């Protein structure tokens, strides 16, 4: 519609100018001594317009000829980029399909002319690792860094993950250590470090990393708590040197205040105290922990402590009967403490009550040994058989539970 209006306007303009030229043609005189040219104004205007159009067309032609090599090169570059992009997509598809050789070949085809050579190099490194070519993988990663040095963090993270997946834990640790210097607060670097320390069983480093994990929210709160518990549990499981009470105390003091209430950690610390002969300290620790939070494991351990005042220890344990009169763990504990106080009659009563409630296997062996000392060999043998039956039944029950879970 606009074009039609323009054409009509031009036609009207031409008619108007023609009419004007016929009424008053005018003239133009161009003198070049000794020549002169005289023509009507309309003819001069027509020649002027034609000449201008010819000059403009010539200028455009020369300009197009000047730009032709650059336009051709641009077309070729676009073509190469399109092919590189297609090669990258094909390589990524092959990588997703698990066709490592084909994917690597396609990725390398497009790496030179591609818009994102970093992606080609990183994907090629993954393909190389999947083929077991770790040296080739490292070369691709080095090429990625040379091509895009500003992506150091991303390349380092991929490198660390590939090394971790290849079980090259020491090399992964070196990579992550460098990245932590470069980006000390990066949550994902801390995340990978935590998992690597766990794989290396470097519990001390993992325990030291926990506060930073919490500050940077590098893991879910529940997972951080589980890692913290595991780290300190494994540290406490390490057997300290004999008679090294100071070493053991420092290890316990390194445990966060909240975890010192955990029954499992208290049990580990208590066993070390018993092994080192720190019986009074162990008795105070266990009695406080049991009164704060009842634990069958801690109660059983309390019965193994040989404090300097066994009578007071026995009274403490008997006081718990008011709350846990039928608890098998407490009955076993009282049976042991009664024997330590040379109260054989009471020990027999508590151990028999424990056995009647299918208490721990230890109550059968303790009762068997007690009856042997009392001369009741037949009954001692019976409890010994029951203890053996319980020992035999325990692995079978575990295997059945495992099958049911699977």
């Amino acid at each position: 519609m606009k074009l039609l209006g323009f054409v009509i306007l031009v036609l009207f303009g031409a008619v108007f100018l023609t009419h004007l030229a016929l009424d008053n043609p005018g003239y133009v005189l161009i003198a070049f001594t000794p020549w002169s040219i005289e023509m009507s104004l309309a003819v001069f205007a027509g020649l002027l317009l034609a000449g201008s159009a010819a000059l403009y067309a010539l200028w455009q032609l020369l300009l197009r000829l000047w730009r032709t090599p650059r336009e051709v090169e641009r077309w070729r570059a676009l073509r190469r980029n399109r092919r590189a992009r297609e090669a990258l997509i094909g390589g990524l598809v092959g990588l997703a399909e698990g066709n490592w050789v084909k994917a690597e070949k396609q990725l390398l085809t497009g790496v030179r002319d591609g818009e994102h050579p970093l992606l080609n190099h990183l994907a090629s490194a993954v393909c190389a690792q999947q083929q077991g070519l770790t040296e080739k993988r490292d070369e691709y990663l080095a090429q990625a860094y040379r091509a895009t040095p500003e992506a150091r963090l991303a390349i380092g993270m991929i490198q660390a993950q590939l090394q971790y997946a290849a079980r090259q834990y020491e090399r992964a640790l070196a990579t992550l250590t460098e990245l932590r210097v470069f980006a000390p607060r990066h949550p994902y670097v801390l995340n990978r470090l935590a998992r690597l320390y766990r794989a290396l069983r470097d519990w001390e480093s993992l325990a030291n990393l926990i506060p930073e994990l919490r500050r940077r929210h590098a893991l879910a709160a529940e997972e951080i708590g589980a890692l913290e518990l595991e780290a300190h549990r494994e540290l406490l499981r390490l057997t300290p040197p004999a008679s090294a009470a100071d070493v053991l105390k420092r290890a316990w003091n390194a445990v966060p205040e909240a975890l010192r209430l955990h029954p499992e950690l208290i049990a580990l610390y208590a066993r070390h105290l018993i092994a080192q002969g720190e019986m009074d300290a162990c008795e105070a620790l266990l009695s406080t922990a049991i009164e704060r939070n009842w634990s069958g494991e801690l109660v059983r351990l309390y019965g193994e402590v040989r404090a300097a005042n066994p009578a007071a220890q026995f009274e403490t344990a008997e006081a718990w009967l008011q709350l846990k009169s039928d608890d098998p763990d407490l009955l076993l504990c009282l049976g042991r403490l009664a024997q330590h106080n040379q109260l054989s009659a009471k020990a027999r009563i508590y151990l028999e009550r424990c056995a009647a409630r299918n208490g721990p296997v230890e109550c059968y062996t303790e009762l068997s040994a007690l009856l042997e000392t009392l001369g009741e060999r037949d009954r001692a043998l019976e409890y010994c058989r029951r203890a053996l039956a319980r020992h035999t039944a325990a692995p079978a029950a575990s295997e059945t539970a495992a099958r049911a879970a699977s």
Side-chain angles (χ1 to χ4, degrees):
M1 193 67 181
K2 290 182 179 179
L3 179 61
L4 179 61
F6 177 74
V7 171
I8 294 173
L9 183 63
V10 170
L11 290 175
F12 273 108
V15 170
F16 176 75
L17 291 175
T18 302
H19 179 72
L20 184 63
L22 291 175
D23 289 345
N24 187 13
Y27 74 94
V28 174
L29 176 65
I30 302 175
F32 293 96
T33 304
W35 299 285
S36 65
I37 301 174
E38 182 178 351
M39 65 186 74
S40 67
L41 179 60
V43 173
F44 176 77
L47 291 175
L48 183 62
L49 288 174
S52 299
L55 286 174
Y56 179 76
L58 180 61
W59 168 254
Q60 289 296 321
L61 177 62
L62 293 175
L63 190 61
R64 180 61 60 88
L65 291 174
W66 173 263
R67 291 177 176 175
T68 296
R70 187 167 54 187
E71 293 292 333
V72 171
E73 181 59 31
R74 182 186 173 195
W75 174 78
R76 288 178 176 175
L78 290 173
R79 186 181 180 190
R80 289 194 299 268
N81 286 341
R82 185 177 66 253
R83 289 180 176 177
R85 186 164 54 251
E86 291 173 354
L88 174 61
I89 294 173
L92 293 177
V93 170
L95 178 63
E97 293 174 348
N99 196 340
W100 319 121
V101 177
K102 179 183 176 181
E104 182 183 2
K105 184 178 179 180
Q106 286 188 298
L107 290 166
L108 293 178
T109 299
V111 70
R112 185 179 64 180
D113 299 317
E115 299 175 350
H116 307 289
L118 175 64
L119 298 178
N120 295 73
H121 287 126
L122 294 179
S124 298
V126 175
C127 292
Q129 169 145 318
Q130 294 297 334
Q131 299 173 69
L133 307 174
T134 55
E135 293 184 2
K136 202 173 183 182
R137 173 205 69 191
D138 293 339
E139 178 58 29
Y140 287 142
L141 291 171
Q143 291 175 9
Y145 181 75
R146 288 194 293 268
T148 319
E150 63 272 15
R152 174 182 177 182
L153 181 61
I155 297 169
M157 290 306 305
I158 294 295
Q159 183 177 12
Q161 290 184 49
L162 291 175
Q163 290 168 339
Y164 182 89
R167 297 186 180 277
Q168 296 175 325
Y169 295 145
E170 297 296 338
R171 298 178 67 177
L173 179 60
T175 301
L176 288 173
T177 302
E178 290 180 6
L179 288 179
R180 194 180 182 192
V181 174
F182 176 70
R185 300 178 181 179
H186 197 282
Y188 197 56
V189 174
L190 299 173
N191 179 307
R192 302 314 303 177
L193 263 177
R195 300 187 187 282
L196 184 57
Y197 285 145
R198 187 175 185 273
L200 289 169
R201 302 185 67 81
D202 187 352
W203 306 115
E204 185 173 359
S205 297
L206 178 57
N208 293 334
L209 189 65
I210 294 296
E212 193 68 15
L213 291 175
R214 281 203 173 95
R215 277 194 295 270
R216 306 302 169 196
H217 304 287
L219 289 167
E222 296 79 6
E223 192 170 357
I224 294 175
L227 285 175
E228 185 177 34
L229 175 61
E230 183 180 16
H232 288 288
R233 179 177 64 229
E234 295 300 327
L235 285 172
L236 284 174
R237 279 179 177 167
L238 300 175
T239 305
S243 302
D246 55 338
V247 175
L248 180 60
K249 188 174 182 179
R250 283 198 301 270
W252 179 249
N253 290 336
V255 177
E257 191 71 30
L259 286 183
R260 288 186 211 168
L261 304 177
H262 199 282
E264 187 177 1
L265 299 187
I266 295 173
L268 288 169
Y269 182 45
R271 287 192 180 94
H272 285 309
L273 290 174
I274 292 173
Q276 293 191 354
E278 299 288 333
M279 297 297 183
D280 289 342
C282 185
E283 190 276 334
L285 170 74
L286 290 175
S287 61
T288 303
I290 292 168
E291 290 174 0
R292 182 187 296 119
N293 185 18
W294 185 268
S295 167
E297 183 180 12
L298 298 185
V299 171
R300 290 195 302 274
L301 270 176
Y302 191 77
E304 299 177 16
V305 177
R306 298 295 174 257
N309 191 344
Q313 183 184 1
F314 184 60
E315 289 177 4
T316 299
E318 277 196 316
W320 296 334
L321 283 171
Q322 298 177 6
L323 298 175
K324 301 283 184 177
S325 59
D326 293 327
D327 188 281
D329 295 311
L330 178 56
L331 294 173
L332 173 61
C333 169
L334 288 168
R336 287 172 168 171
L337 293 178
Q339 288 187 80
H340 183 54
N341 281 272
Q342 298 180 352
L343 301 173
S344 301
K346 277 194 171 185
R348 179 173 181 171
I349 292 172
Y350 286 130
L351 291 174
E352 286 180 343
R353 285 176 61 187
C354 180
R357 288 161 177 76
N358 293 321
V361 177
E362 295 93 324
C363 81
Y364 296 98
T365 56
E366 293 274 355
L367 185 54
S368 176
L370 177 61
L371 293 173
E372 182 73 23
T373 59
L374 296 176
E376 299 183 27
R377 294 184 177 179
D378 291 339
R379 294 202 64 187
L381 182 59
E382 176 62 25
Y383 281 110
C384 186
R385 287 172 180 167
R386 291 174 65 178
L388 181 60
R390 289 283 297 273
H391 273 296
T392 306
S398 300
E399 184 177 352
T400 303
R403 288 176 182 174
S406 62

